[in-house]
Amino acid sequence: MHIEKTSDPKTLQLPAGFRAAGISAGIKKSGVKDMALIVSDVEAVMAGTFTTNQVCAAPVKLCRKHLEGRKGRAIIVNSGVANACTGPEGMKAAQDMAAQTASLLNVPETQVFVCSTGTIGKQLPMDVIGSGIQKIVPAVTVEGVHDAVEAIMTTDTRPKHCTLRIEVDGKPVTVMGMAKGAGMIEPGMATMLSFILTDAAVEADALQACLLAAVKKSFNLVSVDGDRSTNDTVLCMAGGAAGNKPLSPAHRDWKVFSDALYRVAFDLAMKIIGDGEGARKVVRIEVKGALNDAEADIAARAVANSMLVKTSWVKDSPNWGRVMDALGYSRAKVDETLVDIDYDEHPAVRGGMASGSSVAELKKIVARECFVIKIDLHLGNGRAEVYSCDCTEEYVRINW
Amino acid sequence: MHIEKTSDPKTLQLPAGFRAAGISAGIKKSGVKDMALIVSDVEAVMAGTFTTNQVCAAPVKLCRKHLEGRKGRAIIVNSGVANACTGPEGMKAAQDMAAQTASLLNVPETQVFVCSTGTIGKQLPMDVIGSGIQKIVPAVTVEGVHDAVEAIMTTDTRPKHCTLRIEVDGKPVTVMGMAKGAGMIEPGMATMLSFILTDAAVEADALQACLLAAVKKSFNLVSVDGDRSTNDTVLCMAGGAAGNKPLSPAHRDWKVFSDALYRVAFDLAMKIIGDGEGARKVVRIEVKGALNDAEADIAARAVANSMLVKTSWVKDSPNWGRVMDALGYSRAKVDETLVDIDYDEHPAVRGGMASGSSVAELKKIVARECFVIKIDLHLGNGRAEVYSCDCTEEYVRINW
């Protein structure tokens, strides 16, 4: 398995009809960029999906409401403060962020989407946010997207983006996405923050369905620490500047488009897990032979989130006993005498016992930057995969 | 909250009618003690409870079988190799351990209980085990219990034991327990290994019921890392040398005895969490106001096992936002606007938002060696408590 962890800045490009900016508004004391704005020149079709956490941030609640109209002109984002667990004052702050941005852009307030990421429980400094909005609205440009991808970062060590070019109705279409996220990552329906933009024209219901399908097989497959955030948000804007006939499943290029959207989402999800707090490795856990897909997912997540499995990878230990232990305590049905486990191309476990592969061979695989643990439960046809990362001392240091 | 983390060796004493030993058999290359034996002079009434992990070690399977007779004479234990995921060869090894011990003690094989703890997936070195058994059987003495409590340790930093003295029928009765466990700790029905011995005479069904009740409110309430082991075992032997009328719920001193057994189990559980791998703090998570007790337990465990919550304690951060996040993604019903959280005597959250307590005040509490996080969900009458510990860099280093 190989994963491109780093985003090449030369490939980053906004689809036609979009502008963006990223600035230091002063929310973070360090002075790094902490506010981003994405603007569509025209009313874009919007899709979105959000955290399934019962405790959810004010901007998530506002986005859910604004998404009812399925139309969007702008996404205003701040990092540093999550605006979660902030009650009515926090809700008012999110609404004010939308209203102030809408007023300066001269667009309807319900077409401005608000995202926040950072510390939970603090109120947004609205004076700082207000002057930031004053500063960022006139700053949006096509090149400003380079600043925007930086401004949404928190503990991320690098910006995460992906730009794909396809053809729809013979016209060039761009699908571009950006994301942030490194900790508190086990997305339920979305991950921390991700924005996917396209100049394709797409019907609203089709875009929403397409986004949900893509997110299910990308962001929802990664887990850094098993902690599902209060702020997870994926928003998708389709501006239509490409001039194609609006896409829907009936369109002959639908598959090309939905594949592109999935590939962008998957690429961003891999960049998130590849930049997991303190992590140095990406490990795909594949489970097959479970009673059904849901049980396969439960088994894969038990392995992916086991502290003992994740710490064993740090020093390249092929400690498959811990993988067996995690499978056994998962709520998925497991018969230990049937379990086979491979590490990349090498068998590690056959029938629940050591396969005879040498520890040295397995150690070489676990030393790789990316590898796959393939588990066959031999009970049924259920399959699932989840992407995890190692848990290093650095993870502890980042979060204490 | 205050917890006695260390066991005073001066208090350690076997009940009448028991002998024990601990030796270095050579299973661990370091040469430290790695084999323990506990012997009852007479046929003791046995009770036991074991891991709920579907992947379970050969000695656990053997103990379950031997427990059917409810009679025991000896417990033979090795550390270093868990004899889990070892198939028929491992089962044969566990049987041989019982048979060899039984033969030298001249007792029925089914009255010898076998426990192993250590690395999963390796076969026991039966030549080393065999000569260890030859050496340990003649070595049992009353004082040998001091060696036995050391010999069952793996990553434990200190031996764990507790001795209580009560009166039953006016006769002195001793209830003594020992335990090992520091990692792979979120017991389902028991924790790694614990042996509780008493010279009281107790009826078999009463002893089993009493043990299950004690374990539920002690070992089952602690979680070091959310990883449930393949080898968890609690065994209880009641030898009867005290000469009391056999205890059962009908006996007037039943409450005194069952309380003592619970207190020993609870003391050992606290010593396990207090010696959690790399941990420096013990934190009790109390949840009340959940829809029911099961939901309270789910909510408390989500907080207790959150990597972000556990790492935040390392540097004394009162990061209640992460507690809110964990409550929100737990499968327990939560309405964030109703949640109150206190840290010991200080309110941290009221109605899902900051209570106004200063961060400095809360930080002082989190700096304590032991503290309580009290959560009220205000939805119903469900209550639960779980004991957790901080997750330090040392935890990662111990397990890589």
Side-chain angles (χ1 to χ4, degrees):
Chain A
M1 188 174 74
H2 173 76
I3 282 169
E4 207 64 59
K5 291 183 181 178
T6 304
S7 311
D8 180 354
K10 290 197 296 288
T11 64
L12 176 59
Q13 204 188 330
L14 281 175
F18 289 93
R19 286 167 299 146
I23 62 162
S24 167
I27 306 157
K28 290 183 186 169
K29 282 170 192 159
S30 60
V32 301
K33 297 191 184 78
D34 51 16
M35 184 176 274
L37 176 63
I38 298 166
V39 177
S40 171
D41 293 341
V42 298
E43 224 174 48
V45 173
M46 290 293 300
T49 175
F50 306 93
T51 183
T52 53
N53 195 315
Q54 299 169 91
V55 175
C56 82
V60 168
K61 290 171 190 160
L62 189 73
C63 279
R64 282 201 179 110
K65 217 169 106 190
H66 287 188
L67 192 62
E68 288 167 14
R70 298 294 182 90
K71 302 276 185 205
R73 283 296 298 272
I75 303 171
I76 178 84
V77 192
N78 76 276
S79 55
V81 177
N83 195 6
C85 300
T86 47
E89 186 183 339
M91 198 62 210
K92 172 94 175 39
Q95 283 162 348
D96 286 353
M97 273 178 80
Q100 290 174 28
T101 308
S103 159
L104 287 172
L105 285 170
N106 198 22
V107 302
E109 190 181 321
T110 54
Q111 293 188 10
V112 175
F113 290 76
V114 178
C115 296
S116 300
T117 176
T119 309
I120 297 172
K122 278 191 196 162
Q123 296 292 345
L124 281 171
M126 282 311 289
D127 49 340
V128 176
I129 295 277
S131 51
I133 291 172
Q134 294 279 346
K135 190 171 150 195
I136 202 168
V137 169
V140 289
T141 61
V142 169
E143 301 74 35
V145 67
H146 288 270
D147 296 322
V149 295
E150 274 180 43
I152 63 174
M153 289 163 57
T154 52
T155 55
D156 306 66
T157 67
R158 44 191 180 254
K160 299 169 183 70
H161 53 80
C162 175
T163 307
L164 288 186
R165 282 176 196 80
I166 55 172
E167 281 200 0
V168 175
D169 293 337
K171 296 172 199 296
V173 159
T174 300
V175 182
M176 178 268 171
M178 64 178 82
K180 66 81 49 185
M184 205 177 263
I185 297 283
E186 191 186 15
M189 298 248 336
T191 190
M192 286 298 291
L193 298 181
S194 177
F195 311 118
I196 301 176
L197 312 174
T198 180
D199 43 18
V202 189
E203 289 181 4
D205 288 349
L207 189 67
Q208 180 70 20
C210 185
L211 180 68
L212 290 181
V215 166
K216 189 176 169 190
K217 295 176 77 172
S218 56
F219 297 113
N220 284 4
L221 298 185
V222 304
S223 177
V224 171
D225 47 20
D227 280 279
R228 184 164 299 165
S229 157
T230 50
N231 288 52
D232 293 343
T233 298
V234 178
L235 292 172
C236 182
M237 299 180 93
N244 58 294
K245 279 183 290 181
L247 283 156
S248 75
H251 194 293
R252 66 176 172 142
D253 290 330
W254 174 248
K255 195 170 167 350
V256 173
F257 174 77
S258 57
D259 274 1
L261 196 140
Y262 160 67
R263 281 190 290 143
V264 167
F266 187 78
D267 178 273
L268 294 172
M270 289 306 107
K271 283 170 177 159
I272 285 173
I273 193 77
D275 195 24
E277 286 176 340
R280 288 184 291 248
K281 289 175 193 178
V282 175
V283 185
R284 183 164 76 221
I285 317 290
E286 292 178 9
V287 173
K288 67 175 185 177
L291 283 185
N292 52 50
D293 289 353
E295 292 231 338
D297 184 68
I298 289 167
R301 283 181 197 272
V303 175
N305 286 327
S306 159
M307 274 299 289
L308 287 170
V309 170
K310 289 159 69 73
T311 51
S312 72
W313 295 332
V314 177
K315 294 280 176 177
D316 314 333
S317 165
N319 197 327
W320 58 260
R322 295 181 180 178
V323 175
M324 286 291 294
D325 182 66
L327 290 171
Y329 68 67
S330 79
R331 285 161 199 274
K333 169 73 185 157
V334 171
D335 176 341
E336 69 169 287
T337 65
L338 300 178
V339 178
D340 291 343
I341 304 178
D342 289 9
Y343 281 61
D344 277 350
E345 67 279 11
H346 277 286
V349 175
R350 287 294 174 269
M353 294 185 292
S355 68
S357 287
S358 79
V359 171
E361 273 174 331
L362 295 171
K363 211 171 159 69
K364 267 189 244 166
I365 293 167
V366 182
R368 292 174 184 161
E369 220 186 17
C370 299
F371 63 94
V372 186
I373 298 182
K374 296 171 197 165
I375 298 160
D376 193 338
L377 299 178
H378 291 293
L379 293 170
N381 295 315
R383 282 174 176 273
E385 58 181 33
V386 175
Y387 291 80
S388 184
C389 54
D390 52 334
C391 177
T392 65
E393 296 164 285
E394 187 61 17
Y395 178 90
V396 178
R397 285 194 289 265
I398 290 169
N399 288 299
W400 67 24
Chain B
M1 189 175 76
H2 172 78
I3 282 171
E4 207 63 60
K5 292 183 180 179
T6 304
S7 311
D8 180 354
K10 289 197 295 287
T11 64
L12 176 60
Q13 203 188 331
L14 281 174
F18 289 94
R19 286 166 299 145
I23 63 163
S24 167
I27 306 158
K28 291 182 185 169
K29 283 171 192 159
S30 60
V32 300
K33 296 192 185 79
D34 51 17
M35 185 176 273
L37 176 63
I38 298 166
V39 178
S40 171
D41 292 341
V42 297
E43 225 173 49
V45 173
M46 290 292 301
T49 175
F50 306 95
T51 183
T52 53
N53 196 314
Q54 300 169 90
V55 175
C56 83
V60 169
K61 291 171 190 160
L62 189 73
C63 279
R64 283 200 178 109
K65 217 170 106 190
H66 287 188
L67 193 61
E68 288 167 15
R70 300 292 183 91
K71 301 278 184 202
R73 286 295 299 271
I75 303 172
I76 178 86
V77 192
N78 75 277
S79 55
V81 176
N83 196 5
C85 300
T86 47
E89 186 182 340
M91 198 59 210
K92 171 94 173 40
Q95 283 162 346
D96 286 352
M97 274 178 80
Q100 290 173 28
T101 309
S103 159
L104 287 171
L105 286 170
N106 198 23
V107 302
E109 190 180 324
T110 53
Q111 293 189 10
V112 176
F113 290 75
V114 178
C115 295
S116 300
T117 176
T119 310
I120 297 173
K122 278 191 195 164
Q123 295 293 345
L124 281 172
M126 282 311 288
D127 48 340
V128 176
I129 296 278
S131 50
I133 291 172
Q134 293 279 344
K135 191 171 146 192
I136 202 168
V137 169
V140 290
T141 61
V142 169
E143 300 74 37
V145 67
H146 289 268
D147 296 321
V149 296
E150 275 181 41
I152 62 174
M153 289 164 58
T154 52
T155 56
D156 307 63
T157 67
R158 44 191 180 254
K160 298 169 182 70
H161 54 81
C162 176
T163 307
L164 289 186
R165 278 174 200 81
I166 55 173
E167 280 200 1
V168 175
D169 292 338
K171 297 171 198 295
V173 158
T174 300
V175 182
M176 176 268 169
M178 63 177 85
K180 65 82 51 182
M184 203 175 266
I185 297 281
E186 191 186 15
M189 296 245 342
T191 191
M192 285 298 289
L193 298 182
S194 177
F195 311 118
I196 301 176
L197 312 174
T198 180
D199 43 18
V202 190
E203 288 181 7
D205 288 348
L207 188 66
Q208 180 71 20
C210 183
L211 180 67
L212 290 180
V215 165
K216 189 176 170 191
K217 295 176 79 173
S218 56
F219 298 114
N220 285 4
L221 297 185
V222 304
S223 177
V224 170
D225 46 20
D227 280 282
R228 183 165 300 166
S229 156
T230 50
N231 288 53
D232 292 344
T233 297
V234 178
L235 291 172
C236 182
M237 298 179 95
N244 60 295
K245 275 184 291 177
L247 283 155
S248 74
H251 193 293
R252 66 175 173 143
D253 290 330
W254 176 248
K255 196 168 168 351
V256 174
F257 174 77
S258 57
D259 275 0
L261 197 141
Y262 159 68
R263 282 192 288 145
V264 167
F266 186 79
D267 177 274
L268 293 171
M270 289 306 107
K271 282 171 178 160
I272 285 174
I273 193 77
D275 194 24
E277 286 176 340
R280 288 183 289 249
K281 287 173 195 180
V282 175
V283 185
R284 183 164 73 221
I285 318 291
E286 292 178 9
V287 173
K288 66 176 185 176
L291 283 185
N292 51 52
D293 289 351
E295 292 229 339
D297 184 69
I298 290 167
R301 283 181 197 273
V303 175
N305 286 327
S306 160
M307 273 301 288
L308 288 169
V309 170
K310 288 160 69 74
T311 52
S312 71
W313 295 332
V314 177
K315 294 281 177 180
D316 313 332
S317 166
N319 196 325
W320 57 261
R322 296 180 179 179
V323 175
M324 286 291 294
D325 182 67
L327 290 171
Y329 68 68
S330 80
R331 286 159 198 274
K333 170 74 183 157
V334 172
D335 176 341
E336 70 170 285
T337 65
L338 300 178
V339 178
D340 291 344
I341 303 178
D342 288 10
Y343 281 61
D344 277 350
E345 67 279 10
H346 277 286
V349 175
R350 286 293 174 267
M353 294 186 293
S355 68
S357 287
S358 79
V359 171
E361 272 174 331
L362 295 172
K363 213 173 156 67
K364 265 189 244 165
I365 293 167
V366 182
R368 292 175 184 162
E369 219 186 20
C370 300
F371 63 94
V372 185
I373 298 184
K374 295 170 198 167
I375 298 159
D376 193 340
L377 300 178
H378 290 293
L379 292 170
N381 295 315
R383 285 175 174 272
E385 59 181 32
V386 175
Y387 291 79
S388 185
C389 55
D390 53 334
C391 178
T392 65
E393 296 165 283
E394 186 61 18
Y395 178 89
V396 177
R397 284 194 288 265
I398 290 168
N399 287 300
W400 67 24

